[in-house]
Amino acid sequence: MAFIEVKQVSKEFVVYNKAKGFLPSLKSLVRREQSIKQAVQDVNFTIGQGELVAYIGPNGAGKSTTIKMLSGILQPTGGTIEVGGIVPYRERRRNAMRMGVVFGQRSQLYWDLAMEDTFDLYKKMYKIEERRYKHNVDFYVELLEMQEFLTRPVRQLSLGQKMRANLAVALLHDPQVVYLDEPTIGLDIIAKTKIRTFIREINKEKNITLMLTTHDMDDIEQICNRIIMIDHGRIIYDGSLAAFKQEHTGGHLITVDLETEAFQLDDPRLTLYKDEGIRKTVLFQKEAIPVTEVIQKLTEKNRVIDLQIKEPSIEEIVKGIYEQRK
C-alpha cells in the first residue's frame, strides 16, 4: 500500500523581473513586470511504507520544491499530495509530528546546548512518552556511537558528530517518514560509512520510509533500492537501482593487460572498447554473456597478465543522461 501518493502535482512561482536603468526602475515602483516559473510539472509517483528512495536531479530540477510540498511547507499549484493519508499543507502540525527532516547544510541543534539537553528539548516539543523517549535515546546513542560527546555543547562537535546528532534528533519521536537532504555532505569516508550503515539499519529495524536527495552517487548505491530522477520539473525515470543500471549503461567493461600487443577477439558479443597497446578494454553485456565466459574467452586465446572488471558507475550513468538532455 502506498504511503506517499503524488498525483499530477505542479508548482508555479511568480518571479518579478528586475528592471534595468533609471527610468525603468522608477516605473517598476508603480508596476512590476512579472513572469511565471514552473518549478514542478505534472509529477506522479507513489512510495510504499519502508521504501528507501533516492530523489535526484541537477540544481534547479525541482527536488527541494517537491520535498517542501511533501513536508507541508508549500502548497501545490495543481494536483494532490497525501502522506500517510494526510494532505501535508492542510494538516501541517499533524504531518510534522509524523516526519523527520535532516539537512546536510543546516542543523536542528542548538549551539550552546549539550546533546543530552537537546534530547530533553525535543522530548517536550514532540511530547514523547517517558518510556519511549528513554528507549530511543539509548538506542540511537548506542547505534550512532554518541556516548563520547553527549555532555559536550554542539559548538564543540565535529561535522560528523553533528550529523549523527541531527539524525538522532530527527528520529527521536519515531517518525513514519524521513526526508534526508545531503546527509553525508562534507564528511570523511569513515563518517560517511557510519551514516550510510545507520540509515539502512534504522530502515530495517523500524520500517521507516526514507527519501534521500543527494549529489553523492555513493550514497545512492549504498543506501537506496529505487531511484526517482527529475529534470526541469518533470520525472524522467522511476524504477529500481538495478533496472536503472541495466537500462542506461552501455555494458560492463573488462580491462586486460597482455604480454604483447597481439590480441584476438572473435566473439560478436564482445567489443573492443579501447586499445592502449598491451592494455585492451572490452565491452560486454552481462545479460548476453556471463562474466566467467568472457574471462575464459579472453584468456584462452591471449597471453593475459592481469585483468580488471569495472561495474557500471551510477555517477557516470547519471552524468551521461543529463549531458544528453542538455
Side-chain angles (χ1 to χ4, degrees):
M1 182 178 176
F3 181 72
I4 297 175
E5 292 186 272
V6 176
K7 297 180 181 178
Q8 295 294 313
V9 167
S10 298
K11 181 61 182 177
E12 297 176 350
F13 292 100
V14 176
V15 178
Y16 291 99
N17 303 322
K18 187 177 180 181
K20 293 182 179 180
F22 180 70
L23 290 176
S25 295
L26 284 177
K27 183 180 177 182
S28 68
L29 294 175
V30 180
R31 183 181 178 183
R32 299 176 68 184
E33 292 186 7
Q34 63 184 44
S35 57
I36 301 297
K37 179 185 177 182
Q38 194 81 36
V40 172
Q41 305 178 57
D42 299 322
V43 166
N44 292 278
F45 61 81
T46 60
I47 298 175
Q49 182 68 48
E51 277 199 82
L52 292 166
V53 180
Y55 192 59
I56 65 172
N59 292 331
K63 302 188 301 296
S64 296
T65 301
T66 305
I67 297 299
K68 286 176 182 177
M69 288 190 288
L70 289 170
S71 59
I73 296 172
L74 293 177
Q75 178 178 346
T77 306
T80 61
I81 295 177
E82 285 192 9
V83 180
I86 291 174
V87 178
Y89 71 89
R90 288 180 184 163
E91 299 183 73
R92 291 184 182 178
R93 182 172 296 181
R94 189 178 167 204
N95 187 58
M97 295 297 286
R98 302 198 313 180
M99 75 175 188
V101 181
V102 177
F103 294 104
Q105 300 187 62
R106 301 175 199 163
S107 179
Q108 326 181 54
L109 310 175
Y110 293 85
W111 193 246
D112 293 313
L113 283 184
M115 272 315 301
E116 55 187 9
D117 296 325
T118 303
F119 283 142
D120 284 339
L121 177 63
Y122 275 83
K123 174 193 174 185
K124 293 180 175 64
M125 287 173 59
Y126 285 100
K127 300 176 182 177
I128 306 171
E129 182 266 327
E130 180 66 32
R131 187 175 176 182
R132 182 161 66 109
Y133 168 74
K134 189 177 186 309
H135 172 270
N136 283 354
V137 169
D138 292 343
F139 178 72
Y140 292 124
V141 166
E142 181 179 353
L143 199 58
L144 287 165
E145 301 175 12
M146 296 173 61
Q147 298 90 340
E148 63 174 303
F149 58 86
L150 273 179
T151 58
R152 284 156 50 189
V154 169
R155 66 175 183 275
Q156 294 180 7
L157 304 185
S158 69
L159 185 60
Q161 289 170 336
K162 288 176 186 173
M163 184 52 63
R164 281 184 275 163
N166 272 296
L167 281 166
V169 162
L171 293 161
L172 193 62
H173 58 294
D174 287 333
Q176 293 178 291
V177 60
V178 177
Y179 304 109
L180 304 174
D181 181 30
E182 302 282 2
T184 64
I185 190 169
L187 302 184
D188 60 48
I189 188 64
I190 296 174
K192 284 184 177 184
T193 301
K194 285 182 179 179
I195 297 297
R196 290 163 180 163
T197 301
F198 168 76
I199 292 170
R200 290 207 68 98
E201 285 184 4
I202 199 62
N203 168 259
K204 184 178 179 181
E205 176 76 22
K206 300 204 173 190
N207 199 38
I208 295 173
T209 304
L210 287 157
M211 197 166 179
L212 169 71
T213 62
T214 182
H215 289 98
D216 189 330
M217 297 298 109
D218 286 337
D219 283 351
I220 295 171
E221 294 232 48
Q222 296 182 39
I223 295 173
C224 299
N225 304 318
R226 174 182 166 194
I227 289 180
I228 299 176
M229 184 182 291
I230 188 170
D231 190 25
H232 292 96
R234 295 183 181 274
I235 301 294
I236 61 172
Y237 182 85
D238 183 357
S240 71
L241 182 60
F244 177 76
K245 284 185 175 182
Q246 184 175 336
E247 183 176 335
H248 292 284
T249 183
H252 283 62
L253 297 173
I254 183 166
T255 300
V256 292
D257 292 329
L258 308 170
E259 289 186 2
T260 67
E261 292 189 20
F263 186 59
Q264 292 187 50
L265 192 67
D266 54 7
D267 191 307
R269 295 171 294 176
L270 305 178
T271 305
L272 183 59
Y273 182 77
K274 188 182 294 184
D275 189 342
E276 301 171 291
I278 60 170
R279 171 168 289 185
K280 316 287 186 183
T281 301
V282 174
L283 176 70
F284 69 98
Q285 299 285 346
K286 276 175 64 175
E287 297 73 28
I289 180 170
V291 175
T292 52
E293 190 177 345
V294 174
I295 295 172
Q296 180 184 349
K297 286 185 173 293
L298 291 175
T299 54
E300 69 184 5
K301 293 189 177 182
N302 300 285
R303 302 176 70 179
V304 176
I305 300 172
D306 193 14
L307 62 83
Q308 179 182 4
I309 299 173
K310 184 180 179 184
E311 292 284 336
S313 163
I314 190 171
E315 186 166 353
E316 292 173 355
I317 297 170
V318 170
K319 180 182 176 183
I321 290 171
Y322 286 126
E323 284 180 348
Q324 283 182 346
R325 290 182 66 82
K326 283 182 180 179

